[in-house]
Amino acid sequence: MKLARRALLAASGCLVTGLAGCLDGTTDASESGCLTPVNLPTMTGPDTWPQFAATATNANFVPGSGVPADPSTVGWRSPGSEALLPPVIAEDLYVADSGTGSVSAVAADDTVRWRYDEFDRTRWPVAVSDGTVVALTENADSHVLLQGIDTEDGTVRWDIDTTASFRGILLPIAPTVRGGIVYICTNTGVRAVQIDDGTAEWHTELGAHVVEGPDGSSWRTLWATPAVTENHVYTFDRNDTSGDTRTIHALDHGGNIAWKREIPVPDDWRIPGHVVAGESRLFVVAHREDVRLMGHNGTDADGKSPKSRLFALDADTGDTAWRTDFEGAAPTPPALAGGILFVTSRRDDGSGRLLAYDVESQCVRWEYESDRGVVGTPAVTPEALCISEGDRLTALDVQNGEPRWHLGFESSVSAPIVAGGSVYVVDRVYTGQPMRVVRVD
């Protein structure tokens, strides 16, 4: 965090940060007190990371955990493997290996308790709840199976054919678990099953699997990892082949469609990632199509601005409550904790940023600037959060975004997860070398 930058923000207001244009106008930081410390409310909760985005609401927030103190050290590395998927953590660590088609349980003392390696392929992160590891696997016919594995001994207790088929793009898509029910996406919508025995609750079709375009083209739908709250299940089609993937769907817990709303963006915009759900608001990031190209080669075809837009929707109706524009690219979904959205962004010069955005006042509370390029979605605890910055793992103070520590790696690391006071990443990402799960203590 550069103090000069923060002083500039205080003098000029939220517009300078790259967030501007709320429905009611731009908030002036100097008048509203935007640049004040973030104090997350005291709360109790789990210190585990049992599913892909930590919670059923996709919040990336663990209220019962912290992060290691400075200096941080690597406490454990798993053996290398071809293609590890993001792990999840309950009493043990569970990780799927798409290279070997296996799922493993690793105990707190770093010993492998069991390993099930009879799946044809595992291409998605697992989830764990109620003594069951839920794994999405692919068989030899390219059908996706949902399988329940006993956490005690690694035996498969049940399996069902989801009627989905693998399409090889836009991974990962992961199951969501809430209240003993597993919510997964199929080729045409969302399915809900009981976690204890796989019994079907309902399957709701949201659209055809193959959609025909007006020009004779076609594309296959690819539904986002569901965000599940007390009242609703939220998803949307992530496959941007058509350039028409901007409709959020809400289902009730009986599988009935409660509402669907198209996000108001231009035709060349799309929604990546997944819905992040709060108590009364839903949050999604939309961006221009050329933002995807920027993620690969750092170029911007025409210099247009804005490139990304953050939306807050009413959770009960889908109506747009407010929206805010970004001057840079926002390539990953935000994290949410205590009314603060932690939003990643990337400027045209390749530098990355993390913004702490107050959803009530609609202004930036602090900004962290990175010289390492794309910043991954943070893993948030009440006092600190962790981000990946290419080949570096960084812990930031939640109050002001100041770095607590940095830890370098030999190659790129995945977005982190936190549990039990430790941080976990997968390293050797995109290198062609065997990947490893790394625990930082």
Side-chain angles (χ1 to χ4, degrees):
M1 175 76 67
K2 299 178 181 178
L3 293 179
R5 174 67 172 169
R6 294 174 67 188
L8 178 62
L9 287 172
S12 303
C14 289
L15 179 60
V16 180
T17 68
L19 279 170
C22 304
L23 289 180
D24 296 326
T26 301
T27 304
D28 189 322
S30 61
E31 294 180 359
S32 67
C34 278
L35 291 171
T36 56
V38 171
N39 293 299
L40 297 183
T42 301
M43 58 189 74
T44 59
D47 67 349
T48 59
W49 193 286
Q51 47 197 318
F52 175 60
T55 68
T57 57
N58 294 330
N60 270 56
F61 177 50
V62 183
S65 185
V67 304
D70 186 29
S72 56
T73 59
V74 172
W76 169 75
R77 285 187 174 94
S78 72
S81 190
E82 180 181 344
L84 295 177
L85 295 165
V88 297
I89 298 174
E91 292 81 7
D92 297 325
L93 179 147
Y94 302 92
V95 61
D97 184 338
S98 63
T100 63
S102 65
V103 175
S104 300
V106 181
D109 62 2
D110 304 332
T111 60
V112 177
R113 286 206 308 109
W114 53 258
R115 175 186 172 96
Y116 187 89
D117 57 5
E118 296 184 20
F119 297 130
D120 289 314
R121 300 178 188 89
T122 54
R123 297 190 185 271
W124 297 267
V126 299
V128 59
S129 181
D130 301 308
T132 302
V133 178
V134 181
L136 284 165
T137 67
E138 180 192 3
N139 65 18
D141 297 324
S142 296
H143 277 218
V144 176
L145 308 178
L146 180 67
Q147 300 181 294
I149 307 169
D150 194 301
T151 57
E152 289 299 317
D153 56 16
T155 58
V156 175
R157 294 163 48 189
W158 52 264
D159 67 89
I160 61 173
D161 191 329
T162 68
T163 73
S165 59
F166 177 65
R167 293 171 296 285
I169 55 175
L170 297 178
L171 296 177
I173 297 173
T176 301
V177 182
R178 182 186 174 98
I181 304 296
V182 183
Y183 301 87
I184 56 170
C185 293
T186 69
N187 280 350
T188 57
V190 180
R191 182 185 297 274
V193 305
Q194 297 179 13
I195 195 170
D196 56 352
D197 59 8
T199 300
E201 289 283 307
W202 47 262
H203 178 213
T204 299
E205 293 191 359
L206 300 177
H209 175 39
V210 179
V211 181
E212 302 294 336
D215 59 353
S217 63
S218 64
W219 71 94
R220 296 184 178 187
T221 53
L222 186 63
W223 299 96
T225 296
V228 183
T229 66
E230 182 180 358
N231 297 317
H232 293 105
V233 180
Y234 305 97
T235 189
F236 57 87
D237 177 18
R238 295 175 71 219
N239 189 344
D240 67 321
T241 303
S242 68
D244 186 24
T245 57
R246 301 180 296 274
T247 301
I248 308 296
H249 297 257
L251 312 177
D252 65 24
H253 283 289
N256 305 299
I257 298 177
W259 53 260
K260 59 181 181 179
R261 292 288 184 276
E262 183 174 348
I263 300 298
V265 291
D267 290 341
D268 60 345
W269 286 53
R270 68 187 187 101
I271 310 173
H274 49 243
V275 172
V276 177
E279 291 185 2
S280 61
R281 295 282 188 264
L282 311 178
F283 303 97
V284 292
V285 172
H287 58 60
R288 288 191 350 233
E289 178 64 17
D290 61 318
V291 166
R292 180 176 57 174
L293 302 179
M294 290 173 62
H296 289 288
N297 58 24
T299 62
D300 182 1
D302 56 13
K304 291 186 296 185
S305 184
K307 298 179 180 66
S308 301
R309 184 170 292 164
L310 172 65
F311 284 88
L313 310 179
D314 186 286
D316 291 327
T317 66
D319 295 336
T320 299
W322 51 259
R323 68 180 184 225
T324 298
D325 289 340
F326 287 75
E327 68 177 27
T332 62
L336 175 64
I340 303 296
L341 277 173
F342 297 92
V343 186
T344 65
S345 180
R346 182 181 180 180
R347 291 195 180 93
D348 291 346
D349 62 7
S351 62
R353 295 181 300 163
L354 179 68
L355 308 171
Y357 188 71
D358 191 311
V359 301
E360 292 299 324
S361 63
Q362 299 171 40
C363 64
V364 175
R365 301 282 289 276
W366 55 254
E367 174 183 351
Y368 170 77
E369 298 186 29
S370 172
D371 59 0
R372 300 296 184 101
V374 174
V375 175
T377 298
V380 184
T381 73
E383 296 185 356
L385 56 89
C386 284
I387 56 173
S388 59
E389 302 177 272
D391 60 357
R392 187 171 74 183
L393 180 66
T394 295
L396 304 176
D397 194 294
V398 162
Q399 279 201 335
N400 53 29
E402 297 286 353
R404 289 190 172 189
W405 49 259
H406 301 286
L407 181 63
F409 289 79
E410 295 178 356
S411 59
S412 294
V413 297
S414 67
I417 68 173
V418 293
S422 296
V423 185
Y424 299 80
V425 294
V426 176
D427 75 345
R428 295 177 172 175
V429 178
Y430 309 126
T431 65
Q433 297 177 287
M435 299 164 67
R436 301 172 299 188
V437 178
V438 179
R439 187 187 72 232
V440 178
D441 299 322

